[in-house]
Amino acid sequence: MPDHLSAQKKHNDTFYEDVIAGLTAFPKKLQSKYFYDAAGDKLFQDIMNCPEYYLTNCELEIFSEQTAELAKIITDRFPAFDLIELGAGDATKPTYLLQYLLETQVDFTYLPIDISANIINLLEQNLPAKLPDLHMHGLNGDYFDMLKEARQFSSRPKVVLFMGSNIGNMPVKEALGFCSALRHELSPDDLAIIGFDLKKNPKTILAAYNDTASITQNFNLNLLSRINRELQADFHINQFDHYPTYNPETGTCKSYLISLAKQQVKLGGHLIQFEENELIDMEVSQKYSLEETDQLANETGFQPVKHFFDDKKWFVDVIWKCV
Ligand code: AVI
């Protein structure tokens, strides 16, 4: 079997195994990393344009209005470095930083890492047209495998970007493990720039995951459509409803799909039974206080250097130094 086909098969097998494990567990659970097929990517773009979904604009404001200050923290420390972005997406936000670094003739290489080959290909096609002087090298694969690879071909100091509150899609314990693992791949004095969505008025947070145009609902339901299509299941999509929640005590925002009837779903050799009102746990989007982000740094081998806020102080990009 050609390499790309065997990689695709392995991906499908893992997807199938994860879905079966999740839907035979109690409570039922699906992993939000599977939201992002082509339709899911498009729906997420639409979410980012929803008036209620403030996160993207807040972080865009930070990167577009405080670019020089952000750059200075890096360039005061390193004359030359690698700027590594985890989960690069379309690189809209870091483009401000990339452009500024190029204009000020800083010596750096941009290394976007993404699990999606499609995203890396698009970046390699599109970014050189926007930023012709940019040195870039896209890395397609798992974050930590690719960080290891980056270390093998370059010994320059590393600045790792992990934006968009992607860290919020991990439960707090997993975020601790993630930050420790990230620290393990870096060297003393290297930097990490991480975007956290901050605790705020609970109604503002809940509205961001409960938009009036129902795009977030469709984003969640799209995973059931994907399972139908890719794993030959027979979910009746209109028999499930989106139920977002936010707990202001813990900062945990969670989305569920609720079965509107007692029903069963065929999936491979399995028959999955749903009771009426039974839930599928779909996604966590954890919110942090500033103190909690500092604590996360201190517990995982980093030291907070600076906090960059948007005007409303709804979002923070923290700069952490490896100790
Ligand atoms: C990608 N991630 C940070 C988004 C979030 O806010 O948790 C995904 C998302 N889910 C629903 N809306 C947006």
Side-chain angles (χ1 to χ4, degrees):
M1 194 184 288
D3 272 4
H4 72 280
L5 286 183
S6 82
Q8 181 64 37
K9 181 172 177 324
K10 202 166 147 216
H11 168 83
N12 283 349
D13 289 351
T14 316
F15 181 33
Y16 178 74
E17 281 156 19
D18 285 348
V19 168
I20 291 294
L23 293 181
T24 52
F26 185 80
K28 293 183 169 60
K29 181 167 176 48
L30 290 170
Q31 296 181 36
S32 60
K33 69 175 181 188
Y34 291 120
F35 283 0
Y36 302 91
D37 63 350
D41 284 346
K42 165 81 178 63
L43 285 161
F44 184 52
Q45 289 292 332
D46 295 344
I47 288 176
M48 291 193 286
N49 290 322
C50 278
E52 296 94 338
Y53 194 75
Y54 57 84
L55 289 78
T56 311
N57 285 341
C58 290
E59 197 174 38
L60 203 55
E61 183 192 312
I62 295 171
F63 270 75
S64 61
E65 292 181 10
Q66 301 175 66
T67 330
E69 294 85 340
L70 269 163
K72 186 169 183 315
I73 301 232
I74 307 172
T75 53
D76 277 355
R77 288 177 164 75
F78 311 129
F81 58 91
D82 293 325
L83 184 62
I84 302 181
E85 185 172 16
L86 306 182
D90 65 0
T92 310
K93 282 173 276 192
T95 299
Y96 291 96
L97 182 62
L98 301 178
Q99 197 153 15
Y100 183 88
L101 293 170
L102 291 171
E103 279 164 14
T104 49
Q105 295 182 357
V106 173
D107 180 5
F108 76 103
T109 304
Y110 176 55
L111 305 173
I113 299 180
D114 208 287
I115 194 78
S116 154
N118 185 35
I119 285 192
I120 294 298
N121 290 339
L122 281 175
L123 281 177
E124 285 187 332
Q125 273 167 32
N126 299 338
L127 266 191
K130 273 198 230 160
L131 304 169
D133 297 328
L134 182 69
H135 295 275
M136 84 173 266
H137 180 126
L139 296 165
N140 168 220
D142 169 83
Y143 291 162
F144 294 109
D145 292 345
M146 294 302 109
L147 275 169
K148 281 194 182 77
E149 194 171 315
R151 275 216 314 208
Q152 271 164 15
F153 67 74
S154 159
S155 58
R156 300 209 289 189
K158 306 274 181 271
V159 179
V160 174
L161 283 172
F162 190 45
M163 301 174 64
S165 180
N166 284 331
I167 196 160
N169 295 130
M170 302 173 200
V172 174
K173 249 197 182 158
E174 201 179 311
L176 262 167
F178 175 86
C179 293
S180 301
L182 176 61
R183 172 64 191 87
H184 187 75
E185 295 307 328
L186 299 174
S187 306
D189 297 327
D190 283 350
L191 295 176
I193 304 179
I194 306 182
F196 289 90
D197 191 17
L198 291 171
K199 288 179 175 167
K200 61 183 68 60
N201 186 320
K203 287 187 178 170
T204 307
I205 292 178
L206 190 57
Y209 295 86
N210 198 22
D211 61 286
T212 51
S214 302
I215 300 169
T216 312
Q217 160 152 328
N218 293 335
F219 184 55
N220 280 264
L221 290 172
N222 177 60
L223 179 49
L224 303 188
S225 306
R226 178 180 188 185
I227 294 171
N228 279 353
R229 198 176 53 251
E230 293 184 22
L231 304 178
Q232 288 80 47
D234 65 352
F235 274 104
H236 292 282
I237 310 300
N238 57 8
Q239 287 300 309
F240 290 87
D241 195 15
H242 171 233
Y243 181 68
T245 66
Y246 176 61
N247 179 341
E249 279 187 65
T250 59
T252 305
C253 182
K254 285 193 82 166
S255 286
Y256 299 94
L257 285 178
I258 307 293
S259 173
L260 294 177
K262 185 176 167 75
Q263 55 183 318
Q264 55 185 28
V265 173
K266 246 191 273 161
L267 179 49
H270 296 256
L271 259 189
I272 313 286
Q273 307 288 342
F274 285 89
E275 293 303 323
E276 185 177 356
N277 297 323
E278 188 174 350
L279 59 88
I280 313 177
D281 173 342
M282 299 295 285
E283 187 183 43
V284 61
S285 299
Q286 181 66 35
K287 312 304 172 192
Y288 286 82
S289 68
L290 199 58
E291 296 69 34
E292 286 165 339
T293 72
D294 284 350
Q295 205 179 332
L296 185 56
N298 293 327
E299 284 173 11
T300 55
F302 292 95
Q303 183 188 315
V305 174
K306 195 164 161 79
H307 305 129
F308 285 90
F309 301 98
D310 61 299
D311 261 357
K312 294 198 281 267
K313 287 206 158 183
W314 282 3
F315 197 95
V316 64
D317 279 291
V318 299
I319 309 222
W320 294 351
K321 180 178 101 164
C322 292
V323 285

